Amino acid sequence: MTPTIVLPVVIGGLYAAGVYLLLDRSLTRVILGFLLLGNATNLLLLSASGPSALAPIFGYAEAEEMSDPLPQALVLTAIVITFGVTAFLLAMVQRSWQLVRQEVIEVDEEDRRVATREGMDADDMDPDDLPTEDRPAGKGNTLHSDVDVEERLAQRYEGIPSDDIALPPTGGGRS
């Protein structure tokens, strides 16, 4: 029996289409791409198992005439894993639809702002030279002193009732 080129081409096409669909912003296409990758993996495992032979469960064939049950077990495991991850992805799509009423993930403006920043080594960066929105919060090496920060926080939360309760003073020990 001569090997055929059709099965590797089909497996490669399924992998290529699956990766292409995974890179899309539409969540439905991501799920379809994941399903294509799972099916391509199943075909790859089955094609790697070799030609079909007699079932080992019958017990009347020689060891060389029996097919290996391991690739079939791996395919069954891959089917279960693909089903579980697909169910999880479907739940994520449904939750995304509930929250934003759209299925396509939009470009995040914060990601765009970070992507347009200059490339600079972290060791060369001076926190005082960074824009205020990029400075790490609560660091002592910013332009404002700790007193300024406390005053600004007090002004920001002035008039807002606190949920802290006044606890009565406790005794020094047990009696």
Side-chain angles (χ1 to χ4, degrees):
M1 185 193 287
T2 60
T4 178
I5 194 72
V6 174
L7 197 56
V9 168
V10 168
I11 292 171
L14 284 174
Y15 272 120
V19 169
Y20 177 76
L21 289 174
L22 274 178
L23 296 176
D24 200 351
R25 290 190 176 269
S26 170
L27 295 176
T28 303
R29 289 185 180 187
V30 169
I31 291 175
L32 291 175
F34 182 76
L35 287 172
L36 286 178
L37 286 177
N39 288 332
T41 303
N42 294 342
L43 281 176
L44 180 67
L45 287 172
L46 282 179
S47 67
S49 68
S52 62
L54 298 174
I57 197 166
F58 294 139
Y60 59 83
E62 295 296 324
E64 295 81 25
E65 298 173 348
M66 292 183 195
S67 63
D68 187 13
L70 182 63
Q72 298 168 14
L74 289 174
V75 167
L76 286 174
T77 304
I79 289 171
V80 171
I81 291 171
T82 302
F83 178 75
V85 174
T86 302
F88 176 71
L89 289 173
L90 282 171
M92 283 181 30
V93 168
Q94 194 263 345
R95 181 66 178 155
S96 174
W97 180 260
Q98 281 181 345
L99 292 176
V100 294
R101 290 287 181 213
Q102 65 182 6
E103 182 248 344
V104 176
I105 298 174
E106 297 295 326
V107 176
D108 189 13
E109 293 302 321
E110 180 68 15
D111 288 342
R112 280 188 179 171
R113 189 183 66 78
V114 170
T116 58
R117 285 194 293 184
E118 289 181 12
M120 182 182 287
D121 191 20
D123 294 333
D124 298 335
M125 293 172 52
D126 184 14
D128 293 334
D129 295 337
L130 291 174
T132 55
E133 63 269 7
D134 289 339
R135 289 187 189 153
K139 296 293 181 184
N141 56 358
T142 58
L143 294 176
H144 306 288
S145 68
D146 292 337
V147 176
D148 292 337
V149 172
E150 290 175 7
E151 288 176 7
R152 282 187 282 135
L153 286 175
Q155 290 173 356
R156 179 185 293 173
Y157 297 114
E158 184 178 341
I160 299 174
S162 174
D163 60 351
D164 294 339
I165 57 171
L167 296 175
T170 59
R174 292 186 186 173
S175 22

